[in-house]
Amino acid sequence: MENSTKPLQQQNQSSPTCENLPSLLSSFVDTFIDFSVSGLFLPQQQQTPQKALQTHIPSPDRLVAIGDLHGDLEKSKQAFRLAGLIDGSDRWSGGSATVVQIGDVLDRGGEELKILYFLDKLKREAVKSGGQLITLNGNHEIMNVEGDFRYVTEKGLEEFNVWAYWYGVGNKMKSLCHGLEKPKDPFHGIPLSFRGVAERFYHSIRARIAALRPDGPIARRFLADNLTVLVVGESVFVHGGLLEKHVDYGLERINEEVRDWINGLMGRRAPGYCKGRNAVVWLRKFSDELAKNCDCSLLEHVLATIPGAKRMIMGHTIQEIGINGACDNRAIRIDVGMSKGCINGLPEVLEINRNSELRVLTSNPMYQNKNKSYANAERKEGLGLLIPENGPKQVEVKA
């Protein structure tokens, strides 16, 4: 009897059970959830210690900036294709290019999660090719983490409802494994009802709060490592704009504190420099569609406080005539309202080569076959200034 029992005990010790494969099971479940929500197969990455965020990076040979996406997946893909950053199968084809997406992925559309997953996929692929995709926080990311859903669409709520269903299924699967820590309830502490809201939206709103609140699964995974301010060579990227007080406070400090807040380490409310009309994600002093209304002297003063900075590149304020420059091209405005939830504008992206030549790549048929590039006011190269009296700007064309 002893002889027959011993092999069975040895067999139990070597069996691939939940006790010795908890991390594998958890990874499988998370990948299953990702595919169910996004349609993308994203193998889980190994957890690594949190790294310091890079606020300053040197100029790459090719730098591409993409404006606000607002829940429109197809327009987002069109913008990336326009710059040759993805191929026909939506895989990274941008080589060693550095790409900056200026924020505002959330709100106004119904494919917010799908865009977050899509950008995450491209980040992984870009690194393998020696490139990088850097995403910024816009005011709509800040609003959603705070639970401000004024610009959420019904389809946007439904997308998070679907996420909550599959996330719940995944947690139930994990809870069956004794080798795994019991999953946290993402809905813990969230009200069951909301005053002034139709009852049919209660669960969707709860799902969105659960996903996006500080330390929520979606906020932590997709938003926490976003930058709020980025300096690439001579270009300063920020969703709304910077004032001298923001620079004095510290750009690195802003990035780290916003990450800590999104990770649930600083309470429910966003840092003060992310709220109000003069916030880094809300400012419009340099993005008024009428160039003459932009505070150019203030902008020049702010840029002078950032070593080597020659221009500020911003989103946030829709430019109906497309990407353009103001203040002798020290202010570059790249939000073209491409989402169908905005003005359904034609996609455009900004390209900066190492020699500082600025080009607008556009899908607008008005500019096809012109093949002109304008760089600064003196040389008439790169971006043309926004001067309404002089008609439409000149742009570099790439259909």
Side-chain angles (χ1 to χ4, degrees):
M1 189 69 179
E2 283 185 2
N3 291 337
S4 61
T5 304
K6 187 174 181 181
L8 183 60
Q9 290 173 338
Q10 291 174 342
Q11 182 180 353
N12 285 342
Q13 290 173 358
S14 61
S15 296
T17 65
C18 283
E19 293 298 329
N20 54 24
L21 289 177
S23 60
L24 182 61
L25 174 66
S26 180
S27 178
F28 168 79
V29 171
D30 290 338
T31 302
F32 166 73
I33 296 169
D34 288 347
F35 183 80
S36 300
V37 173
S38 70
L40 298 175
F41 178 72
L42 295 174
Q44 298 303 300
Q45 296 180 307
Q46 187 175 3
Q47 294 291 326
T48 57
Q50 185 171 275
K51 298 179 181 178
L53 296 172
Q54 271 195 293
T55 301
H56 297 262
I57 63 175
S59 294
D61 289 332
R62 186 179 187 230
L63 174 62
V64 177
I66 298 175
D68 305 31
L69 302 177
H70 280 307
D72 192 328
L73 179 62
E74 184 51 42
K75 284 293 189 71
S76 300
K77 291 180 178 180
Q78 286 178 26
F80 277 85
R81 289 194 194 103
L82 192 59
L85 298 170
I86 60 173
D87 61 20
S89 300
D90 298 335
R91 292 187 293 259
W92 177 264
S93 60
S96 61
T98 292
V99 181
V100 180
Q101 196 281 317
I102 205 75
D104 275 10
V105 167
L106 300 180
D107 288 340
R108 303 189 188 277
E111 298 165 311
E112 301 154 281
L113 282 172
K114 286 184 173 62
I115 296 175
L116 290 175
Y117 275 101
F118 174 65
L119 295 177
D120 187 54
K121 178 184 83 77
L122 290 184
K123 287 179 180 181
R124 302 182 189 197
E125 294 171 351
V127 168
K128 293 178 181 178
S129 297
Q132 60 180 329
L133 168 58
I134 303 169
T135 50
L136 268 59
N137 289 309
N139 59 307
H140 286 266
E141 280 71 50
I142 302 300
M143 291 168 68
N144 275 269
V145 175
E146 277 204 313
D148 183 344
F149 300 156
R150 282 177 290 168
Y151 298 95
V152 173
T153 66
E154 191 168 339
K155 287 184 177 179
L157 287 175
E158 179 56 29
E159 190 184 32
F160 277 82
N161 215 12
V162 171
W163 167 83
Y165 170 78
W166 287 112
Y167 193 82
V169 169
N171 276 354
K172 287 179 181 177
M173 293 171 68
K174 291 178 182 180
S175 67
L176 297 175
C177 178
H178 297 296
L180 286 175
E181 184 180 346
K182 184 178 179 181
K184 292 191 299 184
D185 177 10
F187 290 92
H188 179 72
I190 298 176
L192 296 174
S193 61
F194 304 91
R195 182 180 299 176
V197 175
E199 186 175 348
R200 64 192 177 98
F201 294 127
Y202 285 176
H203 188 268
S204 298
I205 290 175
R206 295 186 76 234
R208 196 172 179 103
I209 293 172
L212 290 171
R213 64 179 172 176
D215 198 33
I218 296 298
R220 186 174 61 250
R221 177 173 176 184
F222 294 116
L223 304 183
D225 285 334
N226 282 358
L227 295 176
T228 304
V229 186
L230 171 66
V231 182
V232 183
E234 301 171 340
S235 301
V236 180
F237 291 87
V238 61
H239 186 73
L242 291 178
L243 298 175
E244 185 180 5
K245 65 179 181 179
H246 301 136
V247 181
D248 289 343
Y249 188 81
L251 304 186
E252 290 85 357
R253 185 179 177 187
I254 288 173
N255 282 333
E256 294 293 342
E257 287 182 354
V258 173
R259 176 166 71 173
D260 286 348
W261 169 62
I262 294 176
N263 275 327
L265 303 177
M266 293 179 62
R268 293 176 53 206
R269 297 301 175 194
Y273 45 76
C274 286
K275 303 174 72 172
R277 62 189 301 176
N278 288 328
V280 294
V281 294
W282 283 98
L283 193 71
R284 299 187 195 270
K285 289 182 181 293
F286 316 128
S287 55
D288 193 293
E289 272 210 284
L290 290 176
K292 65 181 182 180
N293 292 339
C294 295
D295 194 335
C296 296
S297 61
L298 176 60
L299 174 61
E300 191 158 354
H301 183 69
V302 174
L303 289 174
T305 65
I306 304 172
K310 290 186 176 179
R311 66 186 70 89
M312 193 177 294
I313 300 172
M314 299 154 284
H316 187 46
T317 303
I318 294 174
Q319 310 293 315
E320 292 194 27
I321 71 162
I323 293 175
N324 64 84
C327 304
D328 292 332
N329 285 338
R330 290 180 177 84
I332 309 297
R333 297 87 68 80
I334 66 171
D335 178 11
V336 296
M338 71 177 83
S339 169
K340 289 185 287 292
C342 295
I343 63 171
N344 199 24
L346 291 170
E348 291 189 346
V349 301
L350 175 70
E351 179 184 72
I352 306 176
N353 294 318
R354 181 175 282 277
N355 63 1
S356 294
E357 181 188 48
L358 279 66
R359 304 194 303 167
V360 178
L361 308 181
T362 182
S363 58
N364 192 332
M366 280 180 61
Y367 302 109
Q368 295 206 6
N369 301 319
K370 288 185 186 264
N371 295 315
K372 294 182 180 178
S373 66
Y374 292 78
N376 58 49
E378 290 76 39
R379 293 171 50 210
K380 297 293 184 186
E381 295 178 351
L383 289 171
L385 296 181
L386 173 52
I387 306 175
E389 296 82 2
N390 291 351
K393 68 187 189 320
Q394 302 285 347
V395 295
E396 170 71 14
V397 176
K398 184 175 285 188

